[in-house]
Amino acid sequence: MLKSETSPKHIPESVVFDFDIYGDDRLTDDLHASYETLHRDAPDVFWTPRNGGHWMITRYEDIMDVVRDPEHFSVREMQIPRVEDPPLFIPLSLDPPDNIPYRQALMPFFAPKTVRAMEPKIRQFAIEMIEAVEKRGECDFVDDISSQFPVSVFMELMGMPLERLREFRTQADAFFESRSDEDIAANFGKIVAIMTELIETRRAEPKDDLISKMTQFEINGRPISLGELQSICSILFLGGMDTVTNVSSYLFRHLAGDAALQDRLSEEPEKIKDFIEEGLRSFGVVNTPRLVTKDFERFGVPFRQGDMVLCMLPLGGRDDRKTKDPNKFDIDREKIDHVTFSSGPHLCLGHTLARLEMRILTEEWLKRIPSFRLKPGTMAHSRVGTVMALEQLPLEWSV
Amino acid sequence: MKINYVTPAGEAVTVNAELGESLMEAAVRNGVDGIVAACGGCLSCATCHAYIDEPWLSKIDPQSQTEKDMLDYASHVEPDSRLTCQVPVTAELEGVIVRTPPSQD
Ligand code: HEM
Ligand code: FES
């Protein structure tokens, strides 16, 4: 059947393992733990014939090796299965040294200092959102909180006028909810259009915000083009929302089921930082693809130019060779190791911001809703693929 | 080659480093607290920041423009700050003291 017959000749039978990243029977409601069974059942590095055929890398050290080796594993193509005209996201789909001028131009806006300065605004967004549901005694955490919060933060970061919040949010919702290729393309087009309009406005009349500063970027001594700006804005939009939404949703699902942990964090809010870090380890949500650039051997398997490779970043956090009892959620670990933000030249640019967003959300939530639980009888279905998303999270509490 | 690190807690840690590896790599390989190195030496994170004492500081190659730019965004930067992923271990660094900042964020 599907197995070796459809695998290219260079793949040895012994490393073929049938796994469908877009919906595998092995994946259950406890998505991350069910994914972790691959460590037991599959070779560390294996080839699945599904989705055009691709490699999967499941161990922390091997993932580190791949994402830090752009010479053999390129970001030029990040689609599984491969597509005709892969989109260009700057800086994400440029290998070094091409990514460097952009990365450096963006860095100041994501540095710890800059991010710290955004804290009061971010806190205010979190408070408003939580207060809007507090008295109801229930909410769908995904719909009401975790998908809304990063949109406001993104707009603040970019310097988007708040009077367009509603319009932009509706558009962002439409995009993240679209499932067909046409809808995705159409809704993404609208997002880019909104940002293009803003780029043009700020080019004419700069203000003190990220978009204005971006229009003044110089890349290798020449001014940045509109196309480049659109590409950067797109990756900031795509990279900064769904990710924060999804990690927070899985994390709050865990917290909702652990009353003792809720009490502990309320009593010791200084532990919330470790709670977030352990959450990042336990609930990674991005699997990142690479394209093999030449024929060579690594991890005991033969890679051929043009093979696609998928780094299972969430599995890196659950690797028992790196973390003891990886399926246990423990905020008292001495060291928390994960690759949820990847590593190497494309290490998530927004990692400081993401950590801050989630810490503030948790702090403000627990101040207002210190005790809450999952609504009984609800399902916890996830969308899976290169990004993993919890579809809903109905919570309830006493008011 | 012995390299001496001082952790954020003020603890002195001496490790054996290989010639040619970076001060960051030697620290990470030996689990020294205070050097995070999230990007693994690609000059894209600035979380391998540390202070290098004299007389060793002057013996190291000066910063590249990229390292300077990145250091600008690190926290707790001082005149003797370097990104340790950019500093190779050489014979001249025998006995060097590398102090880590209070935090990398
Ligand atoms: C918990 C939340 C987040 C997670 C799990 C996450 C994860 C990731 C990962 C895994 C990558 C690298 C992919 C690779 O190596 O191929 C990445 C890149 C990136 N992320 Fe994030 N991210 C998060 C939040 C954010 C936020 C809040 C922003 C900013 C608004 C952001 C902006 C970016 C950008 C611009 C890149 C591309 C960096 C480059 O190519 O140099 N991310 N993110
Ligand atoms: S390790 Fe990232 S800049 Fe040095």
Side-chain angles (χ1 to χ4, degrees):
Chain A
M1 45 141 284
L2 224 128
K3 285 216 160 165
S4 52
E5 283 91 325
T6 49
S7 298
K9 278 206 263 318
H10 71 278
I11 311 286
E13 182 78 30
S14 59
V15 295
V16 176
F17 186 88
D18 190 349
F19 190 89
D20 182 358
I21 56 162
Y22 294 110
D24 200 278
D25 290 344
R26 295 177 186 88
L27 300 176
T28 67
D29 271 5
D30 191 356
L31 181 66
H32 293 81
S34 64
Y35 242 120
E36 203 274 320
T37 60
L38 285 178
H39 283 149
R40 186 191 65 208
D41 297 335
D44 289 353
V45 172
F46 65 88
W47 174 272
T48 170
R50 302 275 173 165
N51 302 301
H54 61 93
W55 294 103
M56 290 183 49
I57 317 281
T58 65
R59 293 290 181 172
Y60 179 96
E61 297 292 349
D62 298 345
I63 292 171
M64 279 292 193
D65 230 41
V66 171
V67 296
R68 290 176 176 182
D69 182 358
E71 193 192 321
H72 293 91
F73 301 100
S74 167
V75 288
R76 205 159 66 228
E77 285 188 37
M78 300 189 102
Q79 288 70 36
I80 290 182
R82 290 174 77 176
V83 297
E84 278 291 320
D85 274 311
L88 172 68
F89 291 118
I90 299 175
L92 183 59
S93 42
L94 293 175
D95 291 308
D98 295 342
N99 67 317
I100 290 172
Y102 302 99
R103 176 102 191 173
Q104 265 161 12
L106 285 166
M107 194 60 201
F109 302 95
F110 294 91
K113 265 191 243 177
T114 325
V115 169
R116 258 198 305 273
M118 290 175 68
E119 177 162 345
K121 267 279 172 50
I122 295 180
R123 197 173 288 282
Q124 184 195 327
F125 293 140
I127 293 172
E128 281 164 17
M129 239 159 268
I130 297 162
E131 286 185 342
V133 300
E134 189 183 350
K135 300 281 178 300
R136 290 207 321 242
E138 61 170 7
C139 75
D140 177 359
F141 187 82
V142 176
D143 252 11
D144 294 321
I145 307 286
S146 68
S147 64
Q148 306 293 322
F149 181 47
V151 181
S152 302
V153 176
F154 176 79
M155 293 186 67
E156 169 66 21
L157 172 77
M158 301 296 277
M160 298 178 79
L162 277 181
E163 63 267 19
R164 301 195 65 172
L165 181 69
R166 194 174 300 263
E167 176 200 354
F168 191 73
R169 236 191 219 154
T170 311
Q171 203 48 63
D173 277 349
F175 173 75
F176 287 115
E177 279 160 16
S178 36
R179 290 293 163 267
S180 74
D181 287 352
E182 296 90 78
D183 281 359
I184 292 175
N187 285 315
F188 190 56
K190 288 184 197 160
I191 301 271
V192 175
I194 296 178
M195 292 195 284
T196 305
E197 193 194 313
L198 193 65
I199 292 168
E200 300 292 10
T201 318
R202 291 290 191 270
R203 239 199 231 288
E205 235 181 283
K207 290 195 175 177
D208 186 28
D209 57 36
L210 178 52
I211 292 214
S212 303
K213 300 221 177 82
M214 273 171 39
T215 64
Q216 292 151 32
F217 282 175
E218 284 204 356
I219 302 301
N220 300 326
R222 58 155 177 86
I224 195 164
S225 72
L226 178 62
E228 289 168 322
L229 285 170
Q230 287 168 323
S231 179
I232 296 176
C233 289
S234 304
I235 190 61
L236 290 176
F237 176 82
L238 294 172
M241 294 211 215
D242 231 13
T243 47
V244 176
T245 302
N246 299 333
V247 178
S248 320
S249 301
Y250 286 113
L251 189 54
F252 267 70
R253 177 164 67 145
H254 178 84
L255 188 57
D258 190 342
L261 186 57
Q262 295 174 18
D263 291 345
R264 169 125 188 248
L265 294 178
S266 290
E267 280 156 30
E268 296 173 60
E270 66 284 356
K271 285 298 279 184
I272 291 177
K273 240 182 156 171
D274 296 329
F275 167 72
I276 299 301
E277 211 53 34
E278 178 69 351
L280 283 162
R281 183 192 69 76
S282 304
F283 305 116
V285 295
V286 180
N287 294 315
T288 190
R290 294 292 189 266
L291 174 72
V292 174
T293 58
K294 50 183 103 167
D295 296 357
F296 70 108
E297 254 197 62
R298 175 100 39 106
F299 318 124
V301 306
F303 290 101
R304 288 288 173 278
Q305 185 176 3
D307 286 355
M308 288 306 298
V309 174
L310 190 63
C311 296
M312 312 303 287
L313 304 181
L315 285 182
R318 295 214 182 206
D319 184 346
D320 59 357
R321 291 179 204 155
K322 190 75 191 172
T323 301
K324 211 172 137 236
D325 274 338
N327 290 326
K328 185 172 162 209
F329 192 97
D330 176 6
I331 63 171
D332 297 314
R333 289 180 190 280
E334 215 164 88
K335 203 158 172 299
I336 300 177
D337 289 304
H338 61 76
V339 267
T340 298
F341 291 119
S342 190
S343 182
H346 298 279
L347 167 74
C348 176
L349 189 62
H351 68 98
T352 309
L353 178 60
R355 286 187 168 102
L356 179 76
E357 286 184 55
M358 294 192 292
R359 175 169 62 77
I360 291 179
L361 182 63
T362 309
E363 286 170 5
E364 296 305 328
W365 179 278
L366 286 173
K367 277 185 210 162
R368 291 167 180 78
I369 308 172
S371 166
F372 60 101
R373 58 202 167 265
L374 302 168
K375 225 181 219 181
T378 47
M379 300 292 282
H381 192 257
S382 291
R383 269 183 287 129
V384 295
T386 49
V387 176
M388 312 196 213
L390 189 61
E391 289 187 330
Q392 45 164 313
L393 180 59
L395 298 179
E396 60 179 29
W397 55 91
S398 316
V399 285
Chain B
M1 271 287 297
K2 297 256 187 284
I3 306 284
N4 308 300
Y5 296 89
V6 182
T7 70
E11 194 190 342
V13 184
T14 300
V15 313
N16 259 322
E18 315 273 335
L19 285 178
E21 74 178 331
S22 68
L23 289 179
M24 176 281 280
E25 286 165 321
V28 169
R29 210 162 42 73
N30 291 286
V32 175
D33 260 4
I35 302 284
V36 176
C39 80
C42 294
L43 261 186
S44 42
C45 72
T47 60
C48 60
H49 168 213
Y51 315 108
I52 310 218
D53 285 2
E54 291 293 7
W56 299 279
L57 183 64
S58 330
K59 297 183 182 165
I60 304 170
D61 283 345
Q63 297 166 339
S64 66
Q65 191 56 43
T66 314
E67 184 184 338
K68 274 198 192 112
D69 291 345
M70 286 300 296
L71 255 180
D72 273 354
Y73 308 112
S75 305
H76 319 286
V77 176
E78 302 289 340
D80 53 354
S81 287
R82 291 295 304 251
L83 292 179
T84 54
C85 70
Q86 301 303 303
V87 182
V89 173
T90 61
E92 288 179 326
L93 290 190
E94 185 68 59
V96 66
I97 300 174
V98 181
R99 285 173 299 111
T100 59
S103 84
Q104 296 283 359
D105 58 43

